Amino acid sequence: MPAVLGMKCKLYRNTGTIAVPVWAEMGNVRDCTLNMEREKADATVRANNGFRTNVLTLRVVSIEGESVWDPDDAGFKAMADNFFLETSLEVWALTGPYDVVGSQGLRMVVGVSKFNRQEPLADVATAAF
């Protein structure tokens, strides 16, 4: 199996409905990270002979990334609107195009909880989300 190049991965937003999605690629994304973790609960009992036992519980998923600060870009605007106006935002983070067999990822309704503007002296302004 060939390695998946990060630049080939895709982040889409749904411009339709949950039932009838219309996927628009969010091309104004630089680095993007799909965080996937499992929480755990302590199931330790005395019969474990001094060993701690954990059981896996809920999955916690988040997306972090960076976009060029471009208020005219539709994907950027959708993220800003979600952050400032609490509009709905459904995204699909994939390892390739959504219409290519074998692309893997997660589809989820998200809330943008961070929208930091970065203003480096020798680079373009960006939004960290």
Side-chain angles (χ1 to χ4, degrees):
M1 174 181 196
V4 175
L5 296 175
M7 68 181 191
K8 300 289 186 181
C9 295
K10 306 286 184 186
L11 183 60
Y12 295 96
R13 68 185 176 91
N14 184 0
T15 60
T17 64
I18 298 281
V20 183
V22 178
W23 297 108
E25 184 178 351
M26 297 176 69
N28 180 17
V29 174
R30 287 182 164 186
D31 295 335
C32 190
T33 302
L34 177 61
N35 300 304
M36 298 181 285
E37 300 178 33
R38 296 280 302 268
E39 292 183 344
K40 54 189 175 183
D42 185 356
T44 306
V45 295
R46 293 177 182 170
N48 288 358
N49 295 318
F51 288 93
R52 181 169 304 281
T53 301
N54 292 307
V55 294
L56 297 177
T57 62
L58 302 174
R59 289 169 183 82
V60 179
V61 178
S62 66
I63 297 175
E64 296 177 30
E66 181 181 77
S67 293
V68 171
W69 193 274
D70 181 2
D72 294 330
D73 178 78
F76 178 91
K77 184 172 178 356
M79 286 191 296
D81 286 352
N82 181 272
F83 182 80
F84 291 109
L85 305 174
E86 299 179 18
T87 59
S88 179
L89 181 60
E90 182 183 13
V91 297
W92 201 5
L94 290 165
T95 57
Y98 73 89
D99 56 354
V100 172
V101 174
S103 291
Q104 298 176 321
L106 291 176
R107 174 183 173 180
M108 65 200 96
V109 176
V110 299
V112 178
S113 62
K114 175 177 82 168
F115 201 67
N116 297 335
R117 186 172 68 207
Q118 302 167 335
E119 303 172 350
L121 182 62
D123 204 350
V124 298
T126 59
F129 60 87

